């Protein structure tokens, strides 16, 4: 199984001992044969029990938050899904719980398939 890349959906301030992901199972029907297929990696993850440990590698985020947590953050989920923005929101919520003053966060997000993505 080739490695797959997923965006981390949790803040290390809120969850210092674990990594959370937001994953949608990939599935499709082959038009020529009408055969239903499930993605190899997401199908494997769906079969696992909560708490199962999986091998992973963590890379540095491309998202850079303002140094001053009072500065606003505008998040646009275009192709990234909600995972990185969930992590950013958790980061700000954790900072606020610790008594820091934090600026507003705004999320703009759309869906490719409005009938099936429940927005």
């Amino acid at each position: 199984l080739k490695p797959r890349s997923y965006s981390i959906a949790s803040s290390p301030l809120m969850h210092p001992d674990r990594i959370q992901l937001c994953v949608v199972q990939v599935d499709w029907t082959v038009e020529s044969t009408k055969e239903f297929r499930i993605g190899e990696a997401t199908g494997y993850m769906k079969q696992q029990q909560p708490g199962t440990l999986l091998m992973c590698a963590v890379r540095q985020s491309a998202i850079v938050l303002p140094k001053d947590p009072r500065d606003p953050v505008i998040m646009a989920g275009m192709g990234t899904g909600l995972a990185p923005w969930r992590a950013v929101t958790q980061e700000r919520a954790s900072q606020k719980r610790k008594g820091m003053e934090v600026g507003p966060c705004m999320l703009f997000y759309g869906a490719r398939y409005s009938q099936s993505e429940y927005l």
Side-chain angles (χ1 to χ4, degrees):
L1 185 63
K2 292 181 357 184
R4 307 297 200 270
S5 294
Y6 296 95
S7 295
I8 294 174
S10 56
S11 161
L13 281 180
M14 188 174 279
H15 303 284
D17 60 342
R18 63 185 53 197
I19 292 172
Q20 297 175 340
L21 304 175
C22 292
V23 179
V24 175
Q25 180 176 307
V26 176
D27 59 33
W28 68 98
T29 300
V30 178
E31 287 195 34
S32 60
T33 63
K34 304 299 182 211
E35 179 184 4
F36 182 72
R37 300 260 178 113
I38 296 174
E40 198 167 1
T42 57
Y44 172 78
M45 282 191 276
K46 187 173 182 176
Q47 292 174 354
Q48 304 311 304
Q49 296 299 313
T52 299
L53 299 178
L54 301 174
M55 186 186 310
C56 70
V58 178
R59 295 188 178 90
Q60 187 163 344
S61 174
I63 296 172
V64 179
L65 293 175
K67 289 184 183 187
D68 186 343
R70 296 173 296 180
D71 288 344
V73 174
I74 298 173
M75 303 173 280
M78 298 179 286
T80 61
L82 288 177
W85 309 124
R86 180 179 183 265
V88 168
T89 304
Q90 285 187 359
E91 185 85 359
R92 284 289 175 97
S94 292
Q95 290 171 330
K96 186 168 181 116
R97 283 189 195 131
K98 291 182 179 190
M100 298 175 73
E101 187 178 340
V102 298
C105 292
M106 294 172 280
L107 172 63
F108 297 91
Y109 180 77
R112 184 178 297 157
Y113 306 106
S114 62
Q115 297 298 317
S116 62
E117 296 198 27
Y118 311 107
L119 294 179

